[in-house]
Amino acid sequence: KNEVEQSPQNLTAQEGEFITINCSYSVGISALHWLQQHPGGGIVSLFMLSSGKKKHGRLIATINIQEKHSSLHITASHPRDSAVYICAVRGQKLVFGQGTRLTINP
Amino acid sequence: GAGVSQSPSNKVTEKGKDVELRCDPISGHTALYWYRQRLGQGLEFLIYFQGNSAPDKSGLPSDRFSAERTGESVSTLTIQRTQQEDSAVYLCASSLGARPGANVLTFGAGSRLTVL
């Protein structure tokens, strides 16, 4: 079993829909990162969380330390949100989920 | 510099040759990570440097892989006797501060390695 599991692996939605991507982990962590990788390959750090909730524009990230679970939400999704979203947890080392490929259709 | 700089951006090499990939982190960032991403796959941790502490090499896939970092500056990832399965994008990231996980990661654009 992977230390970090993301779901779903692939998600296709229509513009405007509310999107949720989930990340579960099995190790003790000091922080969790949500990353965005665009089709060109560039990676951008979206959030770093150690507790609670963070919001940036249409993006919201939450983490429940007791349940070892984090979610990334996108409100009013747009085709430019199409990317791979990656969860990474920092325990002894940084471990990545396999990513969720999100496609938003106009 | 303003961001994390990696070179070369693309490298094509023959099987068996050695390659060296360079990462220039953001000035003042004490933490530096190397990852790789094979085609269609997720990110794979390779090695982590934090200040002057001994690096975390637990992700290096074989003894053909090694990395060095001089102080808190440039890092070099060396792959000896390259194999076709080494073909991947090698990504470097850096972050500020000594506390693991305490800071946002900034990624470089990556070095795409193709081993023929």
Side-chain angles (χ1 to χ4, degrees):
Chain A
K1 188 180 188 301
N2 293 331
E3 291 175 285
V4 182
E5 295 276 356
Q6 283 187 239
S7 63
Q9 290 186 343
N10 290 282
L11 178 57
T12 300
Q14 291 299 121
E15 183 173 356
E17 286 189 40
F18 181 82
I19 303 299
T20 296
I21 299 171
N22 295 300
C23 175
S24 296
Y25 53 92
S26 58
V27 295
I29 69 168
S30 58
L32 181 145
H33 299 261
W34 279 103
L35 310 170
Q36 181 190 54
Q37 184 171 33
H38 278 279
I43 296 176
V44 174
S45 181
L46 298 175
F47 293 104
M48 185 191 62
L49 296 162
S50 54
S51 65
K53 172 179 167 179
K54 286 190 176 180
K55 184 176 190 293
H56 182 72
R58 295 180 294 105
L59 301 177
I60 303 166
T62 64
I63 188 168
N64 185 318
I65 297 295
Q66 286 74 32
E67 294 185 3
K68 292 189 164 70
H69 181 269
S70 176
S71 293
L72 177 69
H73 305 284
I74 305 174
T75 61
S77 59
H78 191 276
R80 65 175 174 267
D81 297 327
S82 298
V84 175
Y85 292 84
I86 303 166
C87 169
V89 301
R90 176 70 193 175
Q92 295 286 336
K93 61 184 181 186
L94 196 60
V95 180
F96 294 90
Q98 286 299 98
T100 295
R101 183 174 299 278
L102 175 66
T103 304
I104 304 295
N105 293 319
Chain B
V4 177
S5 178
Q6 289 189 245
S7 61
S9 55
N10 277 286
K11 175 75 176 178
V12 180
T13 191
E14 291 180 326
K15 179 180 169 181
K17 295 282 176 75
D18 297 352
V19 296
E20 215 168 74
L21 307 176
R22 176 187 168 111
C23 173
D24 205 337
I26 292 174
S27 179
H29 278 198
T30 60
L32 186 148
Y33 304 81
W34 280 100
Y35 311 105
R36 74 175 173 185
Q37 187 172 35
R38 291 176 167 141
L39 187 63
Q41 298 190 21
L43 288 164
E44 180 185 0
F45 167 79
L46 296 177
I47 188 168
Y48 164 59
F49 295 91
Q50 174 55 62
N52 293 319
S53 302
D56 177 352
K57 303 180 182 180
S58 58
L60 294 178
S62 79
D63 59 8
R64 295 186 295 104
F65 287 72
S66 62
E68 291 186 352
R69 187 182 186 195
T70 307
E72 294 179 356
S73 62
V74 171
S75 176
T76 304
L77 177 69
T78 302
I79 309 172
Q80 295 178 307
R81 305 180 302 282
T82 51
Q83 304 294 312
Q84 287 180 330
E85 64 262 27
D86 299 334
S87 297
V89 175
Y90 289 81
L91 289 153
C92 175
S94 69
S95 69
L96 180 66
R99 223 161 31 98
N103 295 281
V104 172
L105 294 168
T106 303
F107 281 80
S111 292
R112 182 178 298 277
L113 175 66
T114 304
V115 182
L116 302 177

